[in-house]
PDB file of all heavy atoms in Angstrom:
ATOM      1  N   LEU A   1      -5.018  -9.934 -13.206  1.00 98.00           N
ATOM      2  CA  LEU A   1      -5.986  -8.848 -13.103  1.00 98.00           C
ATOM      3  C   LEU A   1      -6.957  -9.201 -11.983  1.00 98.00           C
ATOM      4  O   LEU A   1      -7.464 -10.318 -11.934  1.00 98.00           O
ATOM      5  CB  LEU A   1      -6.712  -8.672 -14.445  1.00 98.00           C
ATOM      6  CG  LEU A   1      -7.651  -7.476 -14.586  1.00 98.00           C
ATOM      7  CD1 LEU A   1      -7.716  -7.037 -16.039  1.00 98.00           C
ATOM      8  CD2 LEU A   1      -9.052  -7.796 -14.100  1.00 98.00           C
ATOM      9  N   ALA A   2      -7.199  -8.250 -11.092  1.00 98.00           N
ATOM     10  CA  ALA A   2      -8.053  -8.539  -9.937  1.00 98.00           C
ATOM     11  C   ALA A   2      -8.760  -7.279  -9.477  1.00 98.00           C
ATOM     12  O   ALA A   2      -8.471  -6.165  -9.934  1.00 98.00           O
ATOM     13  CB  ALA A   2      -7.222  -9.115  -8.787  1.00 98.00           C
ATOM     14  N   MET A   3      -9.673  -7.452  -8.551  1.00 98.00           N
ATOM     15  CA  MET A   3     -10.393  -6.335  -7.954  1.00 98.00           C
ATOM     16  C   MET A   3      -9.477  -5.619  -6.959  1.00 98.00           C
ATOM     17  O   MET A   3      -8.534  -6.206  -6.423  1.00 98.00           O
ATOM     18  CB  MET A   3     -11.664  -6.845  -7.286  1.00 98.00           C
ATOM     19  CG  MET A   3     -12.429  -7.806  -8.190  1.00 98.00           C
ATOM     20  SD  MET A   3     -14.121  -8.150  -7.679  1.00 98.00           S
ATOM     21  CE  MET A   3     -14.959  -6.728  -8.368  1.00 98.00           C
ATOM     22  N   HIS A   4      -9.741  -4.352  -6.736  1.00 98.00           N
ATOM     23  CA  HIS A   4      -8.852  -3.515  -5.933  1.00 98.00           C
ATOM     24  C   HIS A   4      -9.082  -3.745  -4.438  1.00 98.00           C
ATOM     25  O   HIS A   4     -10.228  -3.894  -4.005  1.00 98.00           O
ATOM     26  CB  HIS A   4      -9.090  -2.044  -6.273  1.00 98.00           C
ATOM     27  CG  HIS A   4      -7.896  -1.184  -6.059  1.00 98.00           C
ATOM     28  ND1 HIS A   4      -7.417  -0.855  -4.808  1.00 98.00           N
ATOM     29  CD2 HIS A   4      -7.050  -0.585  -6.943  1.00 98.00           C
ATOM     30  CE1 HIS A   4      -6.345  -0.090  -4.926  1.00 98.00           C
ATOM     31  NE2 HIS A   4      -6.105   0.096  -6.215  1.00 98.00           N
ATOM     32  N   PRO A   5      -8.005  -3.762  -3.649  1.00 98.00           N
ATOM     33  CA  PRO A   5      -8.176  -3.960  -2.202  1.00 98.00           C
ATOM     34  C   PRO A   5      -8.604  -2.707  -1.448  1.00 98.00           C
ATOM     35  O   PRO A   5      -8.939  -2.793  -0.265  1.00 98.00           O
ATOM     36  CB  PRO A   5      -6.781  -4.406  -1.741  1.00 98.00           C
ATOM     37  CG  PRO A   5      -5.845  -3.773  -2.712  1.00 98.00           C
ATOM     38  CD  PRO A   5      -6.575  -3.782  -4.029  1.00 98.00           C
ATOM     39  N   GLU A   6      -8.599  -1.537  -2.110  1.00 97.00           N
ATOM     40  CA  GLU A   6      -8.967  -0.291  -1.435  1.00 97.00           C
ATOM     41  C   GLU A   6     -10.409   0.097  -1.756  1.00 97.00           C
ATOM     42  O   GLU A   6     -10.865  -0.032  -2.882  1.00 97.00           O
ATOM     43  CB  GLU A   6      -8.036   0.849  -1.868  1.00 97.00           C
ATOM     44  CG  GLU A   6      -6.585   0.611  -1.466  1.00 97.00           C
ATOM     45  CD  GLU A   6      -5.705   1.775  -1.862  1.00 97.00           C
ATOM     46  OE1 GLU A   6      -6.129   2.949  -1.690  1.00 97.00           O
ATOM     47  OE2 GLU A   6      -4.593   1.526  -2.367  1.00 97.00           O
ATOM     48  N   ARG A   7     -11.103   0.589  -0.753  1.00 95.00           N
ATOM     49  CA  ARG A   7     -12.511   0.957  -0.917  1.00 95.00           C
ATOM     50  C   ARG A   7     -12.650   2.218  -1.769  1.00 95.00           C
ATOM     51  O   ARG A   7     -11.870   3.162  -1.644  1.00 95.00           O
ATOM     52  CB  ARG A   7     -13.149   1.172   0.458  1.00 95.00           C
ATOM     53  CG  ARG A   7     -14.626   1.483   0.425  1.00 95.00           C
ATOM     54  CD  ARG A   7     -15.261   1.392   1.807  1.00 95.00           C
ATOM     55  NE  ARG A   7     -15.681   0.019   2.099  1.00 95.00           N
ATOM     56  CZ  ARG A   7     -15.075  -0.788   2.952  1.00 95.00           C
ATOM     57  NH1 ARG A   7     -14.007  -0.369   3.603  1.00 95.00           N
ATOM     58  NH2 ARG A   7     -15.512  -2.007   3.172  1.00 95.00           N
ATOM     59  N   ASN A   8     -13.649   2.201  -2.664  1.00 91.00           N
ATOM     60  CA  ASN A   8     -13.982   3.354  -3.487  1.00 91.00           C
ATOM     61  C   ASN A   8     -15.127   4.098  -2.815  1.00 91.00           C
ATOM     62  O   ASN A   8     -16.282   3.685  -2.895  1.00 91.00           O
ATOM     63  CB  ASN A   8     -14.386   2.887  -4.896  1.00 91.00           C
ATOM     64  CG  ASN A   8     -14.622   4.035  -5.853  1.00 91.00           C
ATOM     65  OD1 ASN A   8     -15.042   5.113  -5.445  1.00 91.00           O
ATOM     66  ND2 ASN A   8     -14.352   3.814  -7.127  1.00 91.00           N
ATOM     67  N   TRP A   9     -14.817   5.209  -2.161  1.00 92.00           N
ATOM     68  CA  TRP A   9     -15.835   5.941  -1.418  1.00 92.00           C
ATOM     69  C   TRP A   9     -16.760   6.725  -2.340  1.00 92.00           C
ATOM     70  O   TRP A   9     -17.873   7.103  -1.937  1.00 92.00           O
ATOM     71  CB  TRP A   9     -15.168   6.891  -0.417  1.00 92.00           C
ATOM     72  CG  TRP A   9     -14.495   6.171   0.705  1.00 92.00           C
ATOM     73  CD1 TRP A   9     -13.153   6.057   0.920  1.00 92.00           C
ATOM     74  CD2 TRP A   9     -15.118   5.446   1.767  1.00 92.00           C
ATOM     75  NE1 TRP A   9     -12.900   5.310   2.051  1.00 92.00           N
ATOM     76  CE2 TRP A   9     -14.091   4.922   2.590  1.00 92.00           C
ATOM     77  CE3 TRP A   9     -16.452   5.179   2.105  1.00 92.00           C
ATOM     78  CZ2 TRP A   9     -14.356   4.166   3.721  1.00 92.00           C
ATOM     79  CZ3 TRP A   9     -16.712   4.417   3.242  1.00 92.00           C
ATOM     80  CH2 TRP A   9     -15.673   3.925   4.039  1.00 92.00           C
ATOM     81  N   ASP A  10     -16.343   6.989  -3.578  1.00 89.00           N
ATOM     82  CA  ASP A  10     -17.191   7.725  -4.512  1.00 89.00           C
ATOM     83  C   ASP A  10     -18.304   6.854  -5.081  1.00 89.00           C
ATOM     84  O   ASP A  10     -19.347   7.356  -5.496  1.00 89.00           O
ATOM     85  CB  ASP A  10     -16.353   8.286  -5.672  1.00 89.00           C
ATOM     86  CG  ASP A  10     -15.375   9.344  -5.204  1.00 89.00           C
ATOM     87  OD1 ASP A  10     -15.722  10.091  -4.272  1.00 89.00           O
ATOM     88  OD2 ASP A  10     -14.268   9.406  -5.766  1.00 89.00           O
ATOM     89  N   ARG A  11     -18.062   5.559  -5.148  1.00 86.00           N
ATOM     90  CA  ARG A  11     -19.090   4.621  -5.628  1.00 86.00           C
ATOM     91  C   ARG A  11     -18.928   3.335  -4.820  1.00 86.00           C
ATOM     92  O   ARG A  11     -18.282   2.389  -5.256  1.00 86.00           O
ATOM     93  CB  ARG A  11     -18.939   4.357  -7.126  1.00 86.00           C
ATOM     94  CG  ARG A  11     -20.085   3.560  -7.716  1.00 86.00           C
ATOM     95  CD  ARG A  11     -19.987   3.459  -9.237  1.00 86.00           C
ATOM     96  NE  ARG A  11     -21.047   2.641  -9.790  1.00 86.00           N
ATOM     97  CZ  ARG A  11     -22.285   3.048 -10.020  1.00 86.00           C
ATOM     98  NH1 ARG A  11     -22.628   4.286  -9.748  1.00 86.00           N
ATOM     99  NH2 ARG A  11     -23.192   2.244 -10.522  1.00 86.00           N
ATOM    100  N   ILE A  12     -19.510   3.317  -3.653  1.00 89.00           N
ATOM    101  CA  ILE A  12     -19.237   2.250  -2.698  1.00 89.00           C
ATOM    102  C   ILE A  12     -19.731   0.889  -3.189  1.00 89.00           C
ATOM    103  O   ILE A  12     -19.255  -0.157  -2.733  1.00 89.00           O
ATOM    104  CB  ILE A  12     -19.843   2.595  -1.318  1.00 89.00           C
ATOM    105  CG1 ILE A  12     -19.147   1.769  -0.221  1.00 89.00           C
ATOM    106  CG2 ILE A  12     -21.365   2.411  -1.329  1.00 89.00           C
ATOM    107  CD1 ILE A  12     -19.443   2.252   1.174  1.00 89.00           C
ATOM    108  N   GLN A  13     -20.654   0.891  -4.173  1.00 84.00           N
ATOM    109  CA  GLN A  13     -21.115  -0.385  -4.723  1.00 84.00           C
ATOM    110  C   GLN A  13     -19.980  -1.166  -5.390  1.00 84.00           C
ATOM    111  O   GLN A  13     -20.066  -2.385  -5.546  1.00 84.00           O
ATOM    112  CB  GLN A  13     -22.247  -0.141  -5.730  1.00 84.00           C
ATOM    113  CG  GLN A  13     -23.554   0.304  -5.103  1.00 84.00           C
ATOM    114  CD  GLN A  13     -23.584   1.795  -4.808  1.00 84.00           C
ATOM    115  OE1 GLN A  13     -22.629   2.521  -5.073  1.00 84.00           O
ATOM    116  NE2 GLN A  13     -24.699   2.252  -4.245  1.00 84.00           N
ATOM    117  N   LYS A  14     -18.935  -0.458  -5.803  1.00 84.00           N
ATOM    118  CA  LYS A  14     -17.773  -1.150  -6.358  1.00 84.00           C
ATOM    119  C   LYS A  14     -16.996  -1.905  -5.279  1.00 84.00           C
ATOM    120  O   LYS A  14     -16.172  -2.758  -5.598  1.00 84.00           O
ATOM    121  CB  LYS A  14     -16.824  -0.149  -7.040  1.00 84.00           C
ATOM    122  CG  LYS A  14     -17.323   0.419  -8.353  1.00 84.00           C
ATOM    123  CD  LYS A  14     -16.233   1.272  -9.000  1.00 84.00           C
ATOM    124  CE  LYS A  14     -16.660   1.770 -10.364  1.00 84.00           C
ATOM    125  NZ  LYS A  14     -15.578   2.573 -11.007  1.00 84.00           N
ATOM    126  N   SER A  15     -17.261  -1.564  -4.020  1.00 91.00           N
ATOM    127  CA  SER A  15     -16.435  -2.066  -2.922  1.00 91.00           C
ATOM    128  C   SER A  15     -17.188  -3.019  -2.009  1.00 91.00           C
ATOM    129  O   SER A  15     -17.119  -2.932  -0.781  1.00 91.00           O
ATOM    130  CB  SER A  15     -15.886  -0.883  -2.115  1.00 91.00           C
ATOM    131  OG  SER A  15     -15.130  -0.035  -2.944  1.00 91.00           O
ATOM    132  N   HIS A  16     -17.931  -3.936  -2.609  1.00 94.00           N
ATOM    133  CA  HIS A  16     -18.533  -5.039  -1.856  1.00 94.00           C
ATOM    134  C   HIS A  16     -17.422  -5.694  -1.024  1.00 94.00           C
ATOM    135  O   HIS A  16     -16.278  -5.813  -1.473  1.00 94.00           O
ATOM    136  CB  HIS A  16     -19.115  -6.038  -2.864  1.00 94.00           C
ATOM    137  CG  HIS A  16     -19.879  -7.171  -2.268  1.00 94.00           C
ATOM    138  ND1 HIS A  16     -19.281  -8.167  -1.508  1.00 94.00           N
ATOM    139  CD2 HIS A  16     -21.193  -7.508  -2.355  1.00 94.00           C
ATOM    140  CE1 HIS A  16     -20.198  -9.046  -1.153  1.00 94.00           C
ATOM    141  NE2 HIS A  16     -21.364  -8.663  -1.638  1.00 94.00           N
ATOM    142  N   PRO A  17     -17.706  -6.112   0.203  1.00 96.00           N
ATOM    143  CA  PRO A  17     -16.661  -6.727   1.027  1.00 96.00           C
ATOM    144  C   PRO A  17     -15.940  -7.889   0.339  1.00 96.00           C
ATOM    145  O   PRO A  17     -14.724  -8.076   0.539  1.00 96.00           O
ATOM    146  CB  PRO A  17     -17.433  -7.202   2.265  1.00 96.00           C
ATOM    147  CG  PRO A  17     -18.573  -6.247   2.368  1.00 96.00           C
ATOM    148  CD  PRO A  17     -18.973  -5.935   0.956  1.00 96.00           C
ATOM    149  N   ASP A  18     -16.658  -8.662  -0.466  1.00 97.00           N
ATOM    150  CA  ASP A  18     -15.994  -9.739  -1.214  1.00 97.00           C
ATOM    151  C   ASP A  18     -15.006  -9.181  -2.231  1.00 97.00           C
ATOM    152  O   ASP A  18     -13.958  -9.781  -2.485  1.00 97.00           O
ATOM    153  CB  ASP A  18     -17.025 -10.606  -1.944  1.00 97.00           C
ATOM    154  CG  ASP A  18     -17.820 -11.512  -1.032  1.00 97.00           C
ATOM    155  OD1 ASP A  18     -17.454 -11.644   0.154  1.00 97.00           O
ATOM    156  OD2 ASP A  18     -18.824 -12.082  -1.502  1.00 97.00           O
ATOM    157  N   HIS A  19     -15.332  -8.036  -2.843  1.00 97.00           N
ATOM    158  CA  HIS A  19     -14.417  -7.417  -3.805  1.00 97.00           C
ATOM    159  C   HIS A  19     -13.119  -7.022  -3.113  1.00 97.00           C
ATOM    160  O   HIS A  19     -12.019  -7.276  -3.624  1.00 97.00           O
ATOM    161  CB  HIS A  19     -15.040  -6.164  -4.414  1.00 97.00           C
ATOM    162  CG  HIS A  19     -16.271  -6.412  -5.215  1.00 97.00           C
ATOM    163  ND1 HIS A  19     -16.932  -5.391  -5.871  1.00 97.00           N
ATOM    164  CD2 HIS A  19     -16.973  -7.540  -5.485  1.00 97.00           C
ATOM    165  CE1 HIS A  19     -17.982  -5.879  -6.512  1.00 97.00           C
ATOM    166  NE2 HIS A  19     -18.035  -7.186  -6.275  1.00 97.00           N
ATOM    167  N   LEU A  20     -13.251  -6.381  -1.956  1.00 98.00           N
ATOM    168  CA  LEU A  20     -12.072  -5.958  -1.209  1.00 98.00           C
ATOM    169  C   LEU A  20     -11.243  -7.162  -0.771  1.00 98.00           C
ATOM    170  O   LEU A  20     -10.002  -7.118  -0.793  1.00 98.00           O
ATOM    171  CB  LEU A  20     -12.491  -5.132   0.001  1.00 98.00           C
ATOM    172  CG  LEU A  20     -13.293  -3.859  -0.282  1.00 98.00           C
ATOM    173  CD1 LEU A  20     -13.704  -3.198   1.022  1.00 98.00           C
ATOM    174  CD2 LEU A  20     -12.501  -2.890  -1.146  1.00 98.00           C
ATOM    175  N   ALA A  21     -11.922  -8.235  -0.386  1.00 98.00           N
ATOM    176  CA  ALA A  21     -11.208  -9.453   0.019  1.00 98.00           C
ATOM    177  C   ALA A  21     -10.420 -10.031  -1.149  1.00 98.00           C
ATOM    178  O   ALA A  21      -9.273 -10.469  -0.976  1.00 98.00           O
ATOM    179  CB  ALA A  21     -12.190 -10.478   0.567  1.00 98.00           C
ATOM    180  N   VAL A  22     -11.017 -10.030  -2.350  1.00 98.00           N
ATOM    181  CA  VAL A  22     -10.284 -10.512  -3.525  1.00 98.00           C
ATOM    182  C   VAL A  22      -9.005  -9.714  -3.709  1.00 98.00           C
ATOM    183  O   VAL A  22      -7.918 -10.271  -3.915  1.00 98.00           O
ATOM    184  CB  VAL A  22     -11.152 -10.410  -4.797  1.00 98.00           C
ATOM    185  CG1 VAL A  22     -10.306 -10.638  -6.052  1.00 98.00           C
ATOM    186  CG2 VAL A  22     -12.284 -11.418  -4.757  1.00 98.00           C
ATOM    187  N   GLY A  23      -9.127  -8.386  -3.641  1.00 98.00           N
ATOM    188  CA  GLY A  23      -7.946  -7.553  -3.832  1.00 98.00           C
ATOM    189  C   GLY A  23      -6.850  -7.834  -2.833  1.00 98.00           C
ATOM    190  O   GLY A  23      -5.667  -7.908  -3.194  1.00 98.00           O
ATOM    191  N   GLU A  24      -7.226  -8.013  -1.572  1.00 98.00           N
ATOM    192  CA  GLU A  24      -6.216  -8.282  -0.550  1.00 98.00           C
ATOM    193  C   GLU A  24      -5.626  -9.677  -0.700  1.00 98.00           C
ATOM    194  O   GLU A  24      -4.409  -9.878  -0.559  1.00 98.00           O
ATOM    195  CB  GLU A  24      -6.820  -8.105   0.838  1.00 98.00           C
ATOM    196  CG  GLU A  24      -5.817  -8.191   1.980  1.00 98.00           C
ATOM    197  CD  GLU A  24      -4.778  -7.082   1.937  1.00 98.00           C
ATOM    198  OE1 GLU A  24      -5.057  -5.991   1.391  1.00 98.00           O
ATOM    199  OE2 GLU A  24      -3.663  -7.307   2.459  1.00 98.00           O
ATOM    200  N   ILE A  25      -6.458 -10.653  -0.998  1.00 98.00           N
ATOM    201  CA  ILE A  25      -5.977 -12.021  -1.209  1.00 98.00           C
ATOM    202  C   ILE A  25      -4.962 -12.059  -2.346  1.00 98.00           C
ATOM    203  O   ILE A  25      -3.874 -12.642  -2.215  1.00 98.00           O
ATOM    204  CB  ILE A  25      -7.152 -12.973  -1.512  1.00 98.00           C
ATOM    205  CG1 ILE A  25      -8.002 -13.188  -0.248  1.00 98.00           C
ATOM    206  CG2 ILE A  25      -6.659 -14.313  -2.057  1.00 98.00           C
ATOM    207  CD1 ILE A  25      -9.370 -13.779  -0.535  1.00 98.00           C
ATOM    208  N   ILE A  26      -5.312 -11.445  -3.470  1.00 98.00           N
ATOM    209  CA  ILE A  26      -4.431 -11.491  -4.635  1.00 98.00           C
ATOM    210  C   ILE A  26      -3.149 -10.721  -4.379  1.00 98.00           C
ATOM    211  O   ILE A  26      -2.047 -11.179  -4.725  1.00 98.00           O
ATOM    212  CB  ILE A  26      -5.154 -10.937  -5.882  1.00 98.00           C
ATOM    213  CG1 ILE A  26      -6.396 -11.775  -6.194  1.00 98.00           C
ATOM    214  CG2 ILE A  26      -4.209 -10.905  -7.072  1.00 98.00           C
ATOM    215  CD1 ILE A  26      -6.131 -13.257  -6.353  1.00 98.00           C
ATOM    216  N   THR A  27      -3.259  -9.543  -3.767  1.00 98.00           N
ATOM    217  CA  THR A  27      -2.061  -8.748  -3.502  1.00 98.00           C
ATOM    218  C   THR A  27      -1.106  -9.491  -2.579  1.00 98.00           C
ATOM    219  O   THR A  27       0.116  -9.502  -2.809  1.00 98.00           O
ATOM    220  CB  THR A  27      -2.449  -7.387  -2.905  1.00 98.00           C
ATOM    221  OG1 THR A  27      -3.340  -6.710  -3.798  1.00 98.00           O
ATOM    222  CG2 THR A  27      -1.227  -6.521  -2.686  1.00 98.00           C
ATOM    223  N   ARG A  28      -1.626 -10.134  -1.551  1.00 98.00           N
ATOM    224  CA  ARG A  28      -0.763 -10.918  -0.656  1.00 98.00           C
ATOM    225  C   ARG A  28      -0.192 -12.142  -1.360  1.00 98.00           C
ATOM    226  O   ARG A  28       0.953 -12.535  -1.104  1.00 98.00           O
ATOM    227  CB  ARG A  28      -1.552 -11.370   0.576  1.00 98.00           C
ATOM    228  CG  ARG A  28      -1.954 -10.262   1.510  1.00 98.00           C
ATOM    229  CD  ARG A  28      -2.470 -10.853   2.813  1.00 98.00           C
ATOM    230  NE  ARG A  28      -3.095  -9.844   3.661  1.00 98.00           N
ATOM    231  CZ  ARG A  28      -3.448 -10.060   4.926  1.00 98.00           C
ATOM    232  NH1 ARG A  28      -3.235 -11.249   5.476  1.00 98.00           N
ATOM    233  NH2 ARG A  28      -4.016  -9.109   5.632  1.00 98.00           N
ATOM    234  N   ALA A  29      -0.982 -12.740  -2.243  1.00 98.00           N
ATOM    235  CA  ALA A  29      -0.533 -13.962  -2.912  1.00 98.00           C
ATOM    236  C   ALA A  29       0.596 -13.695  -3.896  1.00 98.00           C
ATOM    237  O   ALA A  29       1.564 -14.460  -3.960  1.00 98.00           O
ATOM    238  CB  ALA A  29      -1.706 -14.631  -3.628  1.00 98.00           C
ATOM    239  N   VAL A  30       0.485 -12.599  -4.668  1.00 98.00           N
ATOM    240  CA  VAL A  30       1.491 -12.369  -5.706  1.00 98.00           C
ATOM    241  C   VAL A  30       2.822 -11.923  -5.125  1.00 98.00           C
ATOM    242  O   VAL A  30       3.873 -12.106  -5.749  1.00 98.00           O
ATOM    243  CB  VAL A  30       1.009 -11.372  -6.774  1.00 98.00           C
ATOM    244  CG1 VAL A  30      -0.242 -11.882  -7.468  1.00 98.00           C
ATOM    245  CG2 VAL A  30       0.787  -9.976  -6.224  1.00 98.00           C
ATOM    246  N   TYR A  31       2.794 -11.337  -3.952  1.00 97.00           N
ATOM    247  CA  TYR A  31       4.045 -11.038  -3.254  1.00 97.00           C
ATOM    248  C   TYR A  31       3.833 -11.118  -1.749  1.00 97.00           C
ATOM    249  O   TYR A  31       2.960 -10.434  -1.228  1.00 97.00           O
ATOM    250  CB  TYR A  31       4.604  -9.654  -3.609  1.00 97.00           C
ATOM    251  CG  TYR A  31       5.922  -9.436  -2.919  1.00 97.00           C
ATOM    252  CD1 TYR A  31       7.089  -9.993  -3.447  1.00 97.00           C
ATOM    253  CD2 TYR A  31       5.983  -8.777  -1.695  1.00 97.00           C
ATOM    254  CE1 TYR A  31       8.290  -9.866  -2.768  1.00 97.00           C
ATOM    255  CE2 TYR A  31       7.180  -8.654  -1.016  1.00 97.00           C
ATOM    256  CZ  TYR A  31       8.330  -9.194  -1.558  1.00 97.00           C
ATOM    257  OH  TYR A  31       9.523  -9.095  -0.888  1.00 97.00           O
TER     258      TYR A  31
END
């Protein structure tokens, strides 16, 4: 379970740059 790599434009506070980085790191790592 991880944070999403895509930005949430409806509530941008969910999309702190570190949050987006987590999502991309995890998505690349698992496959």
Side-chain angles (χ1 to χ4, degrees):
L1 187 151
M3 313 194 83
H4 208 289
E6 297 182 42
R7 183 168 273 107
N8 185 329
W9 291 110
D10 294 326
R11 188 173 177 81
I12 200 167
Q13 289 82 0
K14 288 186 176 181
S15 302
H16 185 292
D18 287 349
H19 297 182
L20 301 177
V22 168
E24 187 64 27
I25 289 164
I26 299 305
T27 303
R28 292 191 190 190
V30 300
Y31 183 80

